Amino acid sequence: MSQSVSPRRTALDALHRSLGATMTDFAGWDMPLRYGSERDEHNAVRTAAGLFDLSHMGEITVTGAQAAALLDHALVGNMGSIKPGRARYTMICREDGGILDDLIVYRLEDETYMVVANASNAQVVLDALTERAAGFAAEVRDDRDAYALLAVQGPHSPAILKAVTDADLDGLKYYAGLPGTVAGVPALIARTGYTGEDGFELFLAPEHAEQVWQALTEAGQEYGLVPAGLSCRDTLRLEAGMPLYGHELSTDLTPFDAGLGRVVKFEKAGDFVGRAALEKAAELAEKNPPRKLVGLIAEGRRVPRAGMSVVADGTVIGEITSGAPSPTLGKPIAMAYVDAAHAEPGTKGVGVDIRGTHEPYEVVALPFYQRQK
């Protein structure tokens, strides 16, 4: 008999329930989907601020004299060139070039990196890094239980966080992280996020999570901060054109297929896992691109969903990877892989097959939404 494994709970589980959150099983974790209206939560992040519990993400620490060399071998990016205190978006691929996961890597010190994997892939990434570490003077450590992760996102997030930290937030660049104190406890403060807004992610010990959440909630009252769940996180990242593993990214696709070939750094020294396959994929993408990732905006009201066919002249030309109503645009939107011939913004005659009806859609460049800097 197979044993059913109950989902893991974050350090804030009781607090989410006390706030009336609708909980859902996400990648083996019980996570808040929404607290009230996901549209209100979405709009709060766009106009004020939202507070997220992201403790399901997977933190893996890589340390040692050859930590940089190991990561350069294991990942497609140039990790040795990250300056301490900075972060970089990258990917880990299989030997055949397929994407195992997309990652954010922080260089905390010269010989210490923190790799942050998606919750659904954390074990896969940990296993791959451990395997690829053979022969390197570096240690790969599973630190998933060592951290809770909170995110405050939105235009008022700097003001809210400033109220509870003395860290130099003005000097903290996008994709950088610095150790500091938040609400009296130690944290790594990173200026990263997955919403298309300015914001911060706070890595801290799980036993401090509730204290920091409450302090941010109080500091955020005058700014319209609301608790925000995974549901609005998905519509926010979709509007910002950010890929989600299992939707826009998978082992069937290379970074070049996903339009993210820029993360692959062939110029770095030495071999890396997947290099030969990715060189071929880069060549193919330049000469004869397969499908391209595009944005689609509905002319009507029907919402497209992942897996639905994109059509033109009665022929299937692609597939929806993510779709949802867009609170910011007031229309349904989607990301889709479509044949290169139909990928130009403004291409006419493109539709989505929604239960047998070909609903008209406009092809647009990604992202759908970009904040005013």
Side-chain angles (χ1 to χ4, degrees):
M1 251 176 74
S2 66
Q3 233 182 336
S4 67
V5 181
S6 55
R8 297 179 66 181
R9 296 183 165 194
T10 78
L12 293 166
D13 185 79
L15 189 144
H16 298 315
R17 291 168 199 276
S18 75
L19 292 171
T22 300
M23 305 297 284
T24 189
D25 182 346
F26 183 82
W29 288 82
D30 226 356
M31 297 298 293
L33 192 61
R34 69 181 75 81
Y35 298 85
S37 150
E38 57 205 55
R39 176 179 290 266
D40 290 349
E41 290 170 27
H42 178 112
N43 290 333
V45 175
R46 286 276 176 260
T47 59
L51 180 57
F52 297 84
D53 178 8
L54 305 178
S55 302
H56 60 316
M57 299 295 278
E59 296 87 6
I60 301 160
T61 304
V62 180
T63 57
Q66 288 190 299
L70 161 58
L71 290 172
D72 276 338
H73 162 71
L75 312 179
V76 301
N78 190 342
M79 301 296 105
S81 68
I82 306 174
K83 291 182 168 60
R86 298 306 302 261
R88 190 164 293 165
Y89 177 77
T90 188
M91 292 183 186
I92 182 167
C93 290
R94 299 194 306 197
E95 201 63 72
D96 66 1
I99 303 165
L100 282 172
D101 201 12
D102 62 335
L103 311 164
I104 293 181
V105 178
Y106 297 87
R107 191 171 196 168
L108 304 180
E109 293 163 16
D110 266 347
E111 295 184 1
T112 307
Y113 291 80
M114 181 168 67
V115 176
V116 182
N118 284 298
S120 54
N121 295 328
Q123 191 63 49
V124 170
V125 174
L126 178 68
D127 291 346
L129 286 175
T130 303
E131 191 183 310
R132 295 173 190 187
F136 288 92
E139 183 202 343
V140 175
R141 189 173 71 230
D142 180 359
D143 269 346
R144 283 176 288 178
D145 292 338
Y147 291 104
L149 176 57
L150 307 187
V152 55
Q153 297 278 304
H156 291 327
S157 57
I160 294 165
L161 188 54
K162 272 180 191 173
V164 295
T165 184
D166 52 8
D168 176 20
L169 299 186
D170 293 334
L172 187 62
K173 295 186 171 76
Y174 187 51
Y175 266 72
L178 88 168
T181 302
V182 178
V185 303
L188 172 69
I189 304 166
R191 200 165 206 154
T192 44
Y194 192 53
T195 60
E197 297 299 334
D198 189 13
F200 303 88
E201 295 186 325
L202 309 171
F203 296 87
L204 43 109
E207 60 267 25
H208 296 145
E210 199 165 323
Q211 182 181 331
V212 173
W213 177 284
Q214 298 289 23
L216 288 165
T217 300
E218 282 169 36
Q221 265 176 343
E222 63 181 289
Y223 295 100
L225 174 81
V226 302
L230 292 184
S231 191
C232 81
R233 181 170 150 92
D234 193 45
T235 52
L236 290 158
R237 70 92 196 165
L238 177 54
E239 288 183 351
M242 293 176 168
L244 175 63
Y245 197 89
H247 289 257
E248 288 72 39
L249 309 174
S250 74
T251 49
D252 295 334
L253 299 167
T254 72
F256 295 95
D257 295 326
L260 291 164
R262 65 178 182 275
V263 306
V264 182
K265 303 299 181 189
F266 294 121
E267 69 275 13
K268 65 178 172 175
D271 197 16
F272 61 89
V273 178
R275 181 174 198 131
L278 289 168
E279 280 172 348
K280 281 184 193 148
E283 216 173 297
L284 179 69
E286 208 166 299
K287 279 189 196 151
N288 183 19
R291 289 181 163 179
K292 285 189 169 178
L293 189 64
V294 300
L296 297 172
I297 300 180
E299 290 179 24
R301 311 298 313 163
R302 295 182 79 184
V303 178
R305 296 295 180 195
M308 288 181 173
S309 295
V310 183
V311 291
D313 304 321
T315 305
V316 174
I317 58 153
E319 187 178 305
I320 300 288
T321 52
S322 296
S326 163
T328 307
L329 276 64
K331 294 174 181 178
I333 60 171
M335 286 201 273
Y337 282 108
V338 302
D339 294 346
H342 294 87
E344 277 303 306
T347 301
K348 299 286 178 226
V350 171
V352 176
D353 185 340
I354 301 182
R355 294 179 200 87
T357 308
H358 292 183
E359 298 285 339
Y361 272 72
E362 182 191 352
V363 179
V364 298
L366 293 168
F368 300 97
Y369 165 84
Q370 233 171 340
R371 71 183 171 97
Q372 301 302 306
K373 294 254 166 64

